[in-house]
Amino acid sequence: MKTITKYITLSLLSLFVMAGSAFAQFTSELQYYTYQDQRGLNVFEAPFTTNIDFDGVAFKIGGANTLQFQGLNQSNNGAVPLSGLESNFNLATSNLDLDVALDSGLRMHLRTYLTSRHHTEPYVKSGYFQIDRLDFIKEGFLSEVMDKVRIKIGHMEINYGDTHFRRSDNGSAILNPFVGNYIMDSFSTEVSGELYYFDNGILAMVGLSNGKLNQSTVASSNKTTPNLYGKLGYDKQVNENLRFRLTGSVLTSSESASLYLYSGDRAGSRYYGIFGDSFTSGRFAPDYTVSGRAPGGPISGEMTSFMLNPFIKLQGLELFGVYEAVSGKLATESESRSYDQYGAELLYRFGAEEDFYLGGRFNQVSGELASGDNIDITRFNVGGGWFLTKNILAKVEYVTQQYDGFAANSMYADGEFNGVMMEAVISF
């Protein structure tokens, strides 16, 4: 059935594109759009200004493909045996993007994972409308307001924190200077709406999502309430050599059978085969809900997350930081438990077009499990990259990750993995 669905989906997409070409043009330039190549580095939210004119309905078809060579080793205290690892290639991952300019300042985006670590068959990751002008109502309608306002609506990647702008999204890995994402990987696709305000460097956003990754209208005894989230920040190109950005984000979920902020990525993590070979290997998600497969059914929970992200770029020197505080509890718990995440990236980009870079990343998560154990997970990445062209990036890194504080009968007790990763990315 999945094979049939795959071919039907791709056939319909092909027919849609061919039919669209009869009345629309193909383009590489879109309004208020983040390029999925070297030009998209450090853009964060899509640009709030544009110098591109709308000249009728236009398609942009893009894609991304990545392949890693992995040479990792793993160990623990031996109470739970771990699989042996060999140095070899991982599964290649691919994306297909479709962006359509429907009117001036009105764009549709659709991303499909063609293949991923967790799903080898194609499936739609997300889609949304981005509204930067209201000319589709009337030319110039509320233009002074829309000079500072943006609206996004869809089943889409929610804009909590800034780490999701620098992460690998399945095949799309050209904006991530390293191979892996953060240990607590804040990323979720939910039915949501976001309202933005941008004025002379000041950024404000408020969003509301339904809190569900997989959509359903079937009633459940385990209620999921909407998630409220927002972002406030300042982003300014101070002068030709210096850019400064600082944002704070918050998300709160008062009741949910499944909290997806740190487990919403269905593509899979980059470090294959380690610690049980789960598609989430190498990551950690706060344990504030219990899966529906648990005896007695799911146990709902609540959670509030806050993330602070400074970013400074001084000529070729680039600093990106993360402080994240998460608190919450299961419905069966009387006291809240918390986790903290710290992260820092220091890069130096050089060459005539900054085609080369070297740098390192520190990442640590600490907190209290539902079992009462106080755990720490620490990762160091050191590496670099080379943009062969603006669409092709080659990366290499050395990574080491350690697990402390886990119970003696846990797979992670005295756990560690380390080794070399190489990744090739094509993105357009």
Side-chain angles (χ1 to χ4, degrees):
M1 183 64 184
K2 288 183 177 179
T3 301
I4 295 174
T5 303
K6 173 179 69 175
Y7 287 118
I8 291 175
T9 300
L10 293 177
S11 297
L12 289 175
L13 180 59
S14 300
L15 288 171
F16 173 71
V17 170
M18 288 188 292
S21 64
F23 64 88
Q25 58 184 316
F26 290 91
T27 183
S28 60
E29 303 286 337
L30 292 171
Q31 298 176 318
Y32 310 101
Y33 172 77
T34 301
Y35 292 104
Q36 297 301 303
D37 55 41
Q38 188 180 8
R39 294 171 293 176
L41 291 177
N42 302 323
V43 173
F44 299 96
E45 288 83 13
F48 284 85
T49 59
T50 186
N51 58 5
I52 300 171
D53 295 326
F54 176 76
D55 187 27
V57 175
F59 289 98
K60 181 184 184 303
I61 298 178
N65 189 74
T66 69
L67 179 64
Q68 305 91 38
F69 180 86
Q70 176 174 301
L72 297 180
N73 299 298
Q74 61 179 347
S75 63
N76 62 7
N77 67 359
V80 179
L82 297 176
S83 301
L85 298 177
E86 66 176 13
S87 297
N88 215 321
F89 290 94
N90 291 329
L91 172 72
T93 57
S94 300
N95 294 358
L96 174 65
D97 290 346
L98 178 63
D99 289 272
V100 185
L102 298 166
D103 207 322
S104 179
L106 180 63
R107 175 168 63 87
M108 183 205 79
H109 168 80
L110 178 68
R111 171 164 289 178
T112 299
Y113 293 156
L114 296 181
T115 184
S116 67
R117 178 181 179 184
H118 189 47
H119 290 274
T120 56
E121 76 282 0
Y123 72 102
V124 174
K125 170 235 176 176
S126 64
Y128 62 81
F129 281 108
Q130 180 177 298
I131 304 171
D132 288 279
R133 313 302 296 178
L134 297 175
D135 291 5
F136 61 92
I137 297 176
K138 180 182 178 182
E139 185 174 354
F141 185 70
L142 295 180
S143 59
E144 293 184 359
V145 173
M146 297 307 293
D147 285 340
K148 301 177 180 180
V149 171
R150 165 177 294 162
I151 302 167
K152 286 181 69 175
I153 303 171
H155 189 171
M156 63 187 186
E157 180 178 327
I158 64 174
N159 187 9
Y160 164 82
D162 283 352
T163 57
H164 72 105
F165 293 116
R166 297 172 71 90
R167 71 186 297 279
S168 297
D169 184 21
N170 196 46
S172 179
I174 206 162
L175 304 181
N176 185 351
F178 300 96
V179 175
N181 297 326
Y182 280 86
I183 297 170
M184 284 204 314
D185 186 19
S186 54
F187 169 90
S188 184
T189 54
E190 302 169 7
V191 174
S192 56
E194 297 174 351
L195 179 65
Y196 292 79
Y197 177 82
F198 187 82
D199 185 18
N200 196 30
I202 297 173
L203 167 68
M205 184 277 298
V206 61
L208 184 68
S209 79
N210 70 344
K212 294 183 177 182
L213 182 70
N214 299 313
Q215 303 306 309
S216 174
T217 57
V218 177
S220 170
S221 57
N222 293 89
K223 185 179 178 183
T224 294
T225 58
N227 292 338
L228 180 65
Y229 59 99
K231 177 181 286 189
L232 184 64
Y234 182 77
D235 189 344
K236 190 74 171 179
Q237 188 72 43
V238 179
N239 55 46
E240 183 179 355
N241 297 319
L242 176 64
R243 179 182 172 190
F244 173 77
R245 176 182 169 100
L246 178 66
T247 64
S249 301
V250 63
L251 181 146
T252 181
S253 180
S254 61
E255 184 178 6
S256 178
S258 294
L259 296 168
Y260 289 109
L261 181 59
Y262 302 101
S263 60
D265 178 20
R266 288 299 182 261
S269 67
R270 278 296 190 252
Y271 304 122
Y272 287 51
I274 62 169
F275 293 95
D277 197 25
S278 163
F279 78 96
T280 63
S281 56
R283 299 195 305 227
F284 174 82
D287 49 345
Y288 297 139
T289 60
V290 174
S291 168
R293 296 177 182 176
I299 300 175
S300 61
E302 60 184 65
M303 181 182 74
T304 298
S305 299
F306 169 78
M307 186 188 292
L308 185 69
N309 298 115
F311 172 77
I312 299 172
K313 183 169 174 58
L314 178 61
Q315 295 183 328
L317 194 64
E318 188 175 301
L319 173 67
F320 177 75
V322 179
Y323 170 67
E324 190 165 17
V326 188
S327 63
K329 63 179 182 177
L330 293 164
T332 54
E333 294 179 302
S334 58
E335 299 288 336
S336 293
R337 294 175 288 108
S338 62
Y339 296 92
D340 294 308
Q341 175 164 238
Y342 302 90
E345 296 178 15
L346 182 63
L347 303 175
Y348 181 65
R349 300 186 186 272
F350 56 98
E353 301 294 332
E354 295 191 349
D355 292 333
F356 303 89
Y357 67 86
L358 296 171
R361 175 196 282 169
F362 166 77
N363 188 197
Q364 182 181 52
V365 170
S366 60
E368 182 184 359
L369 299 175
S371 63
D373 296 323
N374 290 294
I375 58 101
D376 287 280
I377 307 172
T378 305
R379 181 190 297 169
F380 290 94
N381 304 76
V382 180
W386 174 26
F387 282 92
L388 286 73
T389 75
K390 71 176 186 296
N391 301 105
I392 305 173
L393 171 63
K395 311 178 197 176
V396 60
E397 72 171 30
Y398 175 80
V399 58
T400 178
Q401 182 162 313
Q402 295 179 324
Y403 297 82
D404 295 310
F406 288 83
N409 61 352
S410 167
M411 175 172 55
Y412 301 105
D414 299 322
E416 180 179 8
F417 73 86
N418 58 72
V420 174
M421 298 286 299
M422 291 183 285
E423 183 171 59
V425 185
I426 300 173
S427 184
F428 57 95

